[in-house]
Amino acid sequence: MNDRASDGVLAAIRATPASIRYLLGGMLLNQLGAFVQSFLLLYLVHRGVSAELAGVGLVAYAVGAIIGSTLGGELAHRLGTRFTIGLAMAASGPLVALIPLLSGPGTFWLVILDVGLAGLVTQAYRPAASVMLAELMPEKFQVMSFSMMRIALNAGAAGAALLATVFIAVNWDLLFYVDGATALLYSLLAFALLPNVVAPEEEKPAPGENASRGSAYSVLARDGRFLMYLAAVFIGTVVYAQYTVALPLKIVADGLSTDLYSFVLATSGIVLITCELKVTSYIVKWPPSLAVFLGHVVFGLAFLGWGLSAGNAAVVIISAAMFTGGLMMSGPTMFARPAKVPARYRARYLGVTSSVMGLAQALGPILGVLAWTALGSVWFPVLTVLAVITGALAWGGIKVKEDKPETVIAEEAVA
């Protein structure tokens, strides 16, 4: 009983340092005001921009986010976590607040440039936040700390959706003014309350050795297991995107009400927010490779269920429960994986991981629409196969400690 208690949710919460509580609180606050990605398209259409051109705005934000993730990893390595988070949020606030001012006639390309820059700086803080979790959270609770981060982000997103309805009823522009204000507030909190975790210096190359050979990016490029992990992240994120693309298209095609999709989204979000940390406290006792593989298999079977639902609402809901369960089984362990590399490479690994995820998030909806148009319901069993492949790649990419200590993997790549 004592061992179980010492590894449980309450023990993890009690072991969480004050600096991590401030970090997670800031992420929750920032996410509560994060409206650009969700509402930019609708806002630009509201301001008279065509849907096609408004879509360019989302592409600009996605491209900025992809670049910003890698840049954020580099800044976290060179400047430290507090300065990276504080500067990124300080830059994000004004850029986001400018969107309503630049959305008038004749300034479309200015707003696109602004949105792209906003995506770049807004996402730049994520690698630094992950570095803090890896460095400051006790190792036994590291995976659970990434579960806490996911809960903070999901709770903030759920709250933002509710707040958006209020702001839109008053004035659409409030979305971006509030977004900018929460970013600036997070910046102030970061500078005032967060420690500045700085990565150790990389080892100097030996005389006559190629200077690039020991760099973090060179080490990453030769880290075969981590490349498998990145492939799993990319494919898995594309598959996950179909939850918001192919699933609603299938529900409508089967003649079911869109209210069913809203119910599935809301229920899944509530379950993730309220149950993930408790589920993770059990999952961390499993071998990491088993957790990520089974999680992706369960996650993939949900798509098979949706594909075979044939207008049966009960099957849609049961499959949604499987989908959510699979996410809780695999998600925290997957998120924690880049944090396992040596500290002097960690920020760069996390930045590259975020960029790969951002690229998949940008391509996933496009691929989903094209595949649904070409394949219809056949797309869903294909997604199941892709999820299983993702699980196999994750098994190989995360299964490190059983073969050798994870902290020496990147060290060996330098040799």
Side-chain angles (χ1 to χ4, degrees), residues 8 72 79 144 215 321 334 383 406:
L79 302 180
M144 293 183 72
S215 73
M334 287 290 288
L383 289 169
E406 229 173 271

Side-chain angles (χ1 to χ4, degrees), residues 91-125:
S92 174
L95 287 169
V96 170
L98 276 174
I99 291 175
L101 303 178
L102 297 176
S103 297
T107 57
F108 174 75
W109 294 109
L110 285 178
V111 79
I112 294 302
L113 175 62
D114 180 64
V115 166
L117 292 173
L120 187 151
V121 297
T122 299
Q123 292 302 310
Y125 89 92

Side-chain angles (χ1 to χ4, degrees), residues 276-311:
E276 181 172 304
L277 193 57
K278 183 63 177 176
V279 171
T280 304
S281 71
Y282 295 110
I283 296 298
V284 292
K285 298 179 175 66
W286 297 8
S289 54
L290 180 64
V292 296
F293 179 73
L294 288 182
H296 281 96
V297 170
V298 172
F299 163 88
L301 289 174
F303 285 97
L304 184 62
W306 285 324
L308 299 174
S309 59

Side-chain angles (χ1 to χ4, degrees), residues 289-363:
S289 54
L290 180 64
V292 296
F293 179 73
L294 288 182
H296 281 96
V297 170
V298 172
F299 163 88
L301 289 174
F303 285 97
L304 184 62
W306 285 324
L308 299 174
S309 59
N312 188 317
V315 175
V316 172
I317 293 171
I318 292 170
S319 298
M322 295 177 64
F323 177 85
T324 305
L327 288 179
M328 290 190 290
M329 290 169 67
S330 63
T333 305
M334 287 290 288
F335 267 66
R337 169 61 175 92
K340 301 293 187 180
V341 302
R344 64 177 178 272
Y345 303 126
R346 188 172 293 146
R348 272 77 172 266
Y349 268 63
L350 285 162
V352 170
T353 301
S354 295
S355 292
V356 170
M357 190 177 298
L359 178 62
Q361 288 171 340
L363 294 178

Side-chain angles (χ1 to χ4, degrees), residues 6 35 95 98 258 264 272 288 302 318:
S6 67
F35 300 116
L95 287 169
L98 276 174
T258 53
V264 166
L272 282 170
I318 292 170

Side-chain angles (χ1 to χ4, degrees), residues 42-98:
L42 294 175
Y43 176 75
L44 291 177
V45 171
H46 170 73
R47 293 293 297 265
V49 178
S50 69
E52 291 79 8
L53 284 178
V56 176
L58 287 181
V59 172
Y61 187 89
V63 171
I66 293 167
I67 298 171
S69 295
T70 298
L71 177 62
E74 191 66 28
L75 290 175
H77 180 86
R78 293 179 180 275
L79 302 180
T81 54
R82 180 177 66 225
F83 290 110
T84 299
I85 295 171
L87 290 173
M89 291 296 98
S92 174
L95 287 169
V96 170
L98 276 174

Side-chain angles (χ1 to χ4, degrees), residues 15-365:
T16 302
S19 54
I20 296 299
R21 296 172 190 263
Y22 296 141
L23 172 71
L24 296 176
M27 294 180 79
L28 173 63
L29 171 67
N30 185 58
Q31 198 69 12
L32 278 170
F35 300 116
V36 175
Q37 201 164 9
S38 299
F39 293 95
L40 178 66
L41 181 66
L42 294 175
Y43 176 75
L44 291 177
V45 171
H46 170 73
R47 293 293 297 265
V49 178
S50 69
E52 291 79 8
L53 284 178
V56 176
L58 287 181
V59 172
Y61 187 89
V63 171
I66 293 167
I67 298 171
S69 295
T70 298
L71 177 62
E74 191 66 28
L75 290 175
H77 180 86
R78 293 179 180 275
L79 302 180
T81 54
R82 180 177 66 225
F83 290 110
T84 299
I85 295 171
L87 290 173
M89 291 296 98
S92 174
L95 287 169
V96 170
L98 276 174
I99 291 175
L101 303 178
L102 297 176
S103 297
T107 57
F108 174 75
W109 294 109
L110 285 178
V111 79
I112 294 302
L113 175 62
D114 180 64
V115 166
L117 292 173
L120 187 151
V121 297
T122 299
Q123 292 302 310
Y125 89 92
R126 291 285 184 92
S130 296
V131 167
M132 284 191 64
L133 291 178
E135 291 287 345
L136 302 180
M137 196 72 180
E139 186 176 357
K140 67 183 294 188
F141 297 121
Q142 198 169 87
V143 172
M144 293 183 72
S145 74
F146 281 88
S147 180
M148 293 178 192
M149 182 180 73
R150 284 161 52 88
I151 291 169
L153 294 174
N154 286 327
L162 297 176
L163 290 173
T165 61
V166 177
F167 297 146
I168 289 171
V170 178
N171 188 325
W172 277 84
D173 294 352
L174 283 176
L175 292 174
F176 304 99
Y177 296 144
V178 171
D179 194 333
T182 55
L184 289 175
L185 183 55
Y186 187 17
S187 174
L188 292 175
L189 291 174
F191 281 122
L193 300 174
L194 298 185
N196 197 42
V197 178
V198 180
E201 289 188 11
E202 295 180 10
E203 293 181 347
K204 302 291 185 184
E209 183 182 5
N210 187 340
S212 67
R213 182 170 173 76
S215 73
Y217 300 115
S218 178
V219 169
L220 188 154
R222 300 194 306 276
D223 188 344
R225 287 193 180 276
F226 196 74
L227 294 178
M228 290 179 68
Y229 165 79
L230 289 179
V233 167
F234 182 83
I235 300 171
T237 304
V238 170
V239 173
Y240 173 83
Q242 307 317 305
Y243 174 59
T244 58
V245 178
L247 177 59
L249 291 173
K250 179 73 164 62
I251 286 174
V252 171
D254 286 344
L256 297 171
S257 170
T258 53
D259 290 340
L260 175 62
Y261 180 61
S262 298
F263 174 79
V264 166
L265 282 179
T267 304
S268 295
I270 291 170
V271 171
L272 282 170
I273 292 167
T274 58
C275 300
E276 181 172 304
L277 193 57
K278 183 63 177 176
V279 171
T280 304
S281 71
Y282 295 110
I283 296 298
V284 292
K285 298 179 175 66
W286 297 8
S289 54
L290 180 64
V292 296
F293 179 73
L294 288 182
H296 281 96
V297 170
V298 172
F299 163 88
L301 289 174
F303 285 97
L304 184 62
W306 285 324
L308 299 174
S309 59
N312 188 317
V315 175
V316 172
I317 293 171
I318 292 170
S319 298
M322 295 177 64
F323 177 85
T324 305
L327 288 179
M328 290 190 290
M329 290 169 67
S330 63
T333 305
M334 287 290 288
F335 267 66
R337 169 61 175 92
K340 301 293 187 180
V341 302
R344 64 177 178 272
Y345 303 126
R346 188 172 293 146
R348 272 77 172 266
Y349 268 63
L350 285 162
V352 170
T353 301
S354 295
S355 292
V356 170
M357 190 177 298
L359 178 62
Q361 288 171 340
L363 294 178

